[in-house]
Amino acid sequence: MEEKLRVAVRILLITQWFDPEPTFKGLVFARALRAEGHEVEVITGFPNYPNGKIYPGYRIKWRQVEQVDGIRINRVPLFPSHDGSAVKRVLNYASFAISSCLYGIFAVRKPDVVYVYHPPLTVGLSASVVSCFRRVPFVYDIQDLWPDTLAATGMINNKRALSIVSSLCGFVYKSASKLVVLAPGFKEKLIERGVAPEKIEVIYNWCDEQALQDVASINSHEIGLNERFNVVFAGNMGKAQGLDSVLDAAKLVLISSPQVQFVMVGGGLEVELLKKRVESEQISNVLFLPRMPMNEVGKVLAAADVLLVHLKDDPLFAITIPSKTQAYLAVGKPILMAVRGDAADLVTQSHAGLSVAPENAVEMAKGIENLAKKSPEELSVMGGNAAKFYQQHLSVQVGVRKFIAIFSAVLKS
């Protein structure tokens, strides 16, 4: 899998979300492919995620072409929306699928290979058609396991609708030349569903490395942290994160280890409810910081003593790796992983911290107390292990070279 492509290859990225929108495989990925000597073209929508409003400086039209660092970015029309309306969400997904499909067939030079990022599934359907008409292979990068996630989050509850989504997923999986998944558990699940093992490759996600650079020397007082032992949770605070259990753990730690402070960074549907609970129950060792750009988040992570990952105790989450895990490892701090399965395995393999059961306040509190008792040297060793593991196994450079090897494989087959 490490063989490089020996000639420049035209790679077409079809993705509904792209910079300046937040995305895992956006401009960083495109630039890295370009840096390896390959030609990259992008089909994406007009930026509107996550608020469903077109970003300033853009307006929807048939197409808009941008050139960034030698990468041609084609923006095609879509219905902008990202609220709770199922009808609007369908229009959002379907409109981009149609426009990207037409543009991919008629308006771009023929690529050698197409790369597609999922979700949403509709982009995979678009790529399947483009691949068929242009007679080129496509690689399908599965970041979210549908219909499992749709059912687990309550986005779709109708069994017939879930069955249709499952059938469409099967069609896209069959159409793709290769499937890339973010964790071993995803691969096992797809094999259970009849996908050939040799068709699936595991490539761990990376983080925004540039945004995390040059933040290690930040003064903790600049961001509202004091001299306490700070346990930081950074990211979305929604139902999937199950953060009531973290507050339960904070109450226990407040009694046994009053020097510990929980720092919750970010936004989400549950933030106000969590704040009200902290106030009403007088949980004085919890500090909330607002959502902030990734480079500012990096400053908070660098000032932390321990970084916390937590998700609800759901079987689906045992086969995924929360995206914050990569950033936590890269910044080089000890991690308390309160997620089962693949994410916990990464912490164990890297010797970067401790793993505890999710939604178990007692275990979480004990884990934090254990880490708080360690010497600065012991914590530094854990953090060093984390950073080393990230560079060796999860970095942009490592991931991109694995993708290039996959592109090489599908072009030879």
Side-chain angles (χ1 to χ4, degrees):
M1 288 300 299
E2 295 299 329
E3 180 185 353
K4 280 191 175 185
L5 291 174
R6 300 188 182 281
V7 295
V9 171
R10 288 185 50 78
I11 304 166
L12 176 63
L13 275 60
I14 304 179
T15 171
Q16 183 156 343
W17 301 300
F18 196 80
D19 299 69
E21 296 167 298
T23 178
F24 290 119
K25 304 278 176 64
L27 192 55
V28 168
F29 186 36
R31 280 174 171 153
L33 291 170
R34 176 79 177 169
E36 291 287 331
H38 306 296
E39 189 175 341
V40 182
E41 187 163 5
V42 179
I43 298 177
T44 189
F46 287 86
N48 69 102
Y49 179 83
N51 296 320
K53 297 183 184 298
I54 297 297
Y55 283 30
Y58 292 89
R59 62 182 180 84
I60 294 180
K61 46 189 175 181
W62 162 235
R63 70 168 182 170
Q64 177 173 311
V65 178
E66 305 166 12
Q67 290 283 346
V68 179
D69 298 333
I71 300 157
R72 181 184 173 96
I73 303 170
N74 305 280
R75 297 193 182 274
V76 298
L78 49 62
F79 179 82
S81 177
H82 199 76
D83 59 22
S85 168
V87 173
K88 289 182 179 179
R89 188 68 64 88
V90 168
L91 287 172
N92 175 248
Y93 292 164
S95 60
F96 178 73
I98 293 169
S99 59
S100 64
C101 181
L102 292 173
Y103 202 91
I105 294 172
F106 299 111
V108 298
R109 282 179 57 196
K110 182 178 179 180
D112 296 310
V113 64
V114 178
Y115 164 86
V116 191
Y117 173 101
H118 165 98
L121 169 65
T122 43
V123 183
L125 295 172
S126 170
S128 297
V129 178
V130 172
S131 171
C132 179
F133 271 83
R134 304 304 295 267
R135 297 182 181 276
V136 295
F138 85 93
V139 175
Y140 196 47
D141 189 349
I142 302 171
Q143 294 285 314
D144 211 349
L145 205 59
W146 284 20
D148 310 62
T149 301
L150 300 178
T153 58
M155 186 177 294
I156 296 180
N157 295 312
N158 184 282
K159 289 185 178 181
R160 179 172 175 77
L162 291 170
S163 177
I164 292 172
V165 170
S166 181
S167 297
L168 291 173
C169 284
F171 168 76
V172 176
Y173 298 162
K174 186 175 181 179
S175 302
S177 300
K178 276 282 186 181
L179 304 178
V180 175
V181 294
L182 58 82
F186 272 37
K187 180 172 182 176
E188 293 172 9
K189 186 66 72 173
L190 291 179
I191 291 171
E192 289 175 8
R193 294 177 182 176
V195 180
E198 62 272 15
K199 192 172 187 175
I200 311 167
E201 298 291 342
V202 178
I203 301 181
Y204 293 108
N205 282 337
W206 51 80
C207 66
D208 188 343
E209 297 170 12
Q210 185 64 41
L212 295 175
Q213 290 179 354
D214 303 323
V215 297
S217 62
I218 190 71
N219 188 321
S220 61
H221 291 287
E222 294 181 22
I223 50 177
L225 276 65
N226 52 31
E227 299 302 327
R228 297 169 75 175
F229 187 90
N230 290 292
V231 178
V232 172
F233 174 94
N236 184 54
M237 301 185 211
K239 293 186 182 299
Q241 283 68 42
L243 296 177
D244 275 312
S245 296
V246 175
L247 298 189
D248 291 339
K251 291 173 70 174
L252 296 173
V253 172
L254 182 59
I255 299 170
S256 60
S257 302
Q259 80 277 20
V260 173
Q261 176 174 243
F262 289 73
V263 183
M264 316 289 280
V265 186
L269 296 174
E270 298 290 297
V271 171
E272 293 306 316
L273 293 174
L274 294 168
K275 286 182 177 179
K276 287 179 181 177
R277 188 180 161 200
V278 164
E279 183 179 356
S280 64
E281 297 178 27
Q282 298 183 332
I283 311 175
S284 59
N285 60 345
V286 177
L287 170 68
F288 286 92
L289 296 178
R291 181 185 282 125
M292 57 185 71
M294 191 60 193
N295 62 328
E296 294 297 319
V297 173
K299 295 177 182 179
V300 181
L301 301 184
D305 295 287
V306 171
L307 301 174
L308 172 66
V309 188
H310 188 273
L311 288 174
K312 292 181 69 175
D313 194 6
D314 187 289
L316 176 64
F317 298 140
I319 61 170
T320 191
I321 298 172
S323 58
K324 62 172 61 66
T325 305
Q326 283 83 349
Y328 284 7
L329 288 164
V331 82
K333 291 287 180 173
I335 296 173
L336 183 67
M337 177 63 68
V339 181
R340 298 186 191 276
D342 290 332
D345 289 344
L346 280 186
V347 172
T348 301
Q349 293 168 23
S350 61
H351 304 287
L354 301 176
S355 296
V356 298
E359 294 194 283
N360 188 321
V362 174
E363 272 200 35
M364 206 183 316
K366 288 181 178 178
I368 290 166
E369 290 163 3
N370 185 331
L371 291 168
K373 290 175 183 176
K374 292 187 179 298
S375 68
E377 292 75 19
E378 289 175 304
L379 294 174
S380 179
V381 168
M382 287 184 176
N385 290 340
K388 182 179 179 181
F389 186 85
Y390 177 84
Q391 290 301 325
Q392 291 180 344
H393 301 284
L394 309 176
S395 68
V396 173
Q397 185 179 51
V398 170
V400 166
R401 287 180 176 173
K402 288 182 177 179
F403 270 108
I404 289 172
I406 287 173
F407 298 153
S408 176
V410 299
L411 287 173
K412 290 177 180 177
S413 60

